[in-house]
Amino acid sequence: MNRPDKTEITRLLSLTDKAEIAALHRRAYEIKTSTIGKVVHFRGIVEISNICTKNCFYCGIRRDNANVQRYQMQRDEIITACLWAHEQGYGSVVLQSGERQDDTFSDFITSILQEVRQRSGGELGFTLSLGEQSPETYQRWFEAGAHRYLLRIETSNPDLYRKLHPADHDYQARLDCLKALKGIGYQTGTGVMIGLPHQEISHLADDVIFFIDQDVDMIGMGPFIPHQDTPFADVLPDFKEEAALELALKMIAVCRILMPDINIASTTALQALNPTGREMGLLAGGNIIMPNITDVKYRSAYQLYDGKPCLDENASLCRNCLERRISAIGETIGYRQWGDSPHFAGRRSKIH
Ligand code: SAH
Ligand code: SF4
């Protein structure tokens, strides 16, 4: 694809007229249905631990937040959740946690991947969202059965990145991780937060161009939502849920228009801003939903932002509720499929 015009992307992201925004969503949705179909794929997400060695200024489970009750799910609990997802016909699961780079953690993940692969007959797909790791660790997890990795760049602008993180969090290291993941053969996803402090529309336009230049297979992005126990609690005194949602939906739509064949998640943070936020994300071009399958007893301790929805809804209720919501907008759910992006298949055929 040709490099798109930044001026045009900026213009689309700056739309304020409701009719023009609706037309943008419609265009994106048409592109989504003609390339991917009227189908949504599920990735059951298990929030395996909120222990984090990092201190990102925006995040509710950052290391220095002493108000969080830290937990680490047991190996058996994680395996049970994954196998439950498999029985439900979810094609794949996501394991997400705070960042730990020690060997104990790396071994722990490896052994879970191996066991679930064996017990699901290799059918259940795995996405990992476990932060920055060494290339060796990524390789081990890949060999143990993970095939997708989600690592948001958070912002593609190095100066803005520095304002969002302590000095020892390194933009270049994150970029190197994305490169390593792709080199190993993962379907690689990245994303940004939308509406961050100090972020301008032109940063977001650059983010879209970054996704295209990185040739990503999937995007997981969502609105920034302040968390009360972080340094960014009060950094946006004018934070308005409706405006944050509108901007996030415009980003999804623009990404779908420019990258027709990738997977784009309609993230839970959208629902934190509006009860039907995730359906809106689908109608703006998203095609992936990540139902939370974490045991309810852990959910409230995994709050990256304030107002996380479904804290007291168990995994079966989540499934039923989502099924209803998705059929209400005329889409079907692709059960028992990995739901790889057509883009990844195309990229692979170019490599081999
Ligand atoms: N530790 C891993 C994965 C868990 S965090 C990592 O950082 O990659 C997953 C994502 O949550 C982050 O990439 C970030 O984009 C998002 N997040 C954190 N705090 C947030 C907030 N206040 N609002 C919205 N998203 C947030
Ligand atoms: Fe840790 Fe990820 Fe939160 Fe940063 S965003 S503090 S790495 S969980």
Side-chain angles (χ1 to χ4, degrees):
M1 112 124 40
N2 294 330
R3 218 157 187 279
D5 180 354
K6 182 173 170 187
T7 316
E8 175 60 5
I9 298 175
T10 309
R11 186 186 74 78
L12 293 173
L13 293 175
S14 310
L15 291 176
T16 52
D17 181 272
K18 298 284 175 214
E20 283 182 318
I21 294 174
L24 178 76
H25 291 185
R26 263 199 314 278
R27 197 168 130 212
Y29 186 64
E30 273 162 28
I31 292 177
K32 181 256 167 188
T33 47
S34 62
T35 13
I36 295 181
K38 276 199 146 196
V39 59
V40 177
H41 283 102
F42 278 179
R43 322 271 185 241
I45 180 164
V46 194
E47 296 155 341
I48 63 174
S49 169
N50 64 1
I51 300 168
C52 189
T53 55
K54 291 198 139 178
N55 238 339
C56 309
F57 294 145
Y58 43 80
C59 178
I61 62 168
R62 62 199 300 274
R63 188 185 63 215
D64 286 356
N65 183 5
N67 294 338
V68 175
Q69 196 179 351
R70 303 287 166 175
Y71 72 87
Q72 159 78 57
M73 282 175 73
Q74 301 290 316
R75 183 173 183 279
D76 282 355
E77 292 176 312
I78 300 171
I79 291 172
T80 304
C82 294
L83 294 175
W84 179 86
H86 182 236
E87 276 162 31
Q88 297 298 305
Y90 290 12
S92 62
V93 289
V94 184
L95 302 186
Q96 190 178 79
S97 76
E99 189 172 300
R100 276 179 58 186
Q101 298 181 335
D102 53 283
D103 290 346
T104 312
F105 183 71
S106 166
D107 293 346
F108 180 72
I109 300 297
T110 307
S111 106
I112 289 168
L113 292 169
Q114 286 167 337
E115 176 146 353
V116 176
R117 176 162 66 180
Q118 193 245 324
R119 288 175 62 182
S120 73
E123 281 179 8
L124 188 68
F126 267 108
T127 305
L128 300 180
S129 173
L130 305 172
E132 294 168 35
Q133 303 288 339
S134 67
E136 293 72 32
T137 298
Y138 286 147
Q139 180 73 41
R140 279 182 74 204
W141 291 346
F142 187 73
E143 284 163 14
H147 64 127
R148 303 190 183 109
Y149 206 102
L150 186 60
L151 184 75
R152 291 185 177 178
I153 193 72
E154 315 298 359
T155 169
S156 64
N157 183 295
D159 292 331
L160 179 54
Y161 190 91
R162 268 193 291 279
K163 293 184 184 147
L164 308 174
H165 300 97
D168 61 350
H169 292 28
D170 183 12
Y171 175 85
Q172 187 58 43
R174 213 150 172 97
L175 212 51
D176 292 344
C177 285
L178 284 174
K179 196 168 165 206
L181 289 163
K182 230 163 141 195
I184 290 168
Y186 279 96
Q187 284 179 57
T188 309
T190 192
V192 295
M193 278 173 286
I194 302 156
L196 283 162
H198 315 293
Q199 188 182 48
E200 290 162 18
I201 293 291
S202 83
H203 292 129
L204 290 169
D206 285 333
D207 292 339
V208 175
I209 294 171
F210 173 87
F211 300 148
I212 294 169
D213 288 347
Q214 288 280 316
D215 198 19
V216 294
D217 302 306
M218 44 195 209
I219 295 179
M221 63 188 169
F224 161 72
I225 303 174
H227 186 291
Q228 60 188 349
D229 296 328
T230 64
F232 281 179
D234 302 313
V235 76
L236 293 180
D238 292 333
F239 181 78
K240 298 260 181 337
E241 295 185 340
E242 204 181 325
L245 178 66
E246 186 175 282
L247 186 57
L249 294 173
K250 282 190 279 190
M251 269 297 271
I252 292 181
V254 169
C255 285
R256 173 58 70 202
I257 291 166
L258 293 170
M259 289 164 274
D261 61 355
I262 64 167
N263 280 340
I264 302 181
S266 187
T267 52
T268 312
L270 295 169
Q271 196 185 338
L273 298 179
N274 181 303
T276 60
R278 282 197 288 191
E279 293 89 308
M280 293 177 179
L282 294 176
L283 292 170
N287 67 313
I288 302 288
I289 293 257
M290 293 151 76
N292 197 332
I293 59 169
T294 314
D295 194 318
V296 176
K297 75 174 183 233
Y298 296 120
R299 278 196 208 178
S300 56
Y302 196 90
Q303 293 202 58
L304 308 172
Y305 46 82
D306 286 337
K308 176 183 175 182
C310 310
L311 285 180
D312 55 1
E313 201 170 79
N314 70 31
S316 310
L317 280 175
C318 254
R319 176 190 159 144
N320 296 339
C321 154
L322 274 168
E323 265 185 0
R324 243 182 305 110
R325 285 158 174 264
I326 288 167
S327 51
I329 58 167
E331 295 264 323
T332 56
I333 298 161
Y335 283 120
R336 301 192 189 286
Q337 299 165 356
W338 277 9
D340 287 346
S341 70
H343 184 80
F344 179 68
R347 193 158 71 75
R348 262 235 300 236
S349 65
K350 270 185 247 157
I351 301 168
H352 295 293

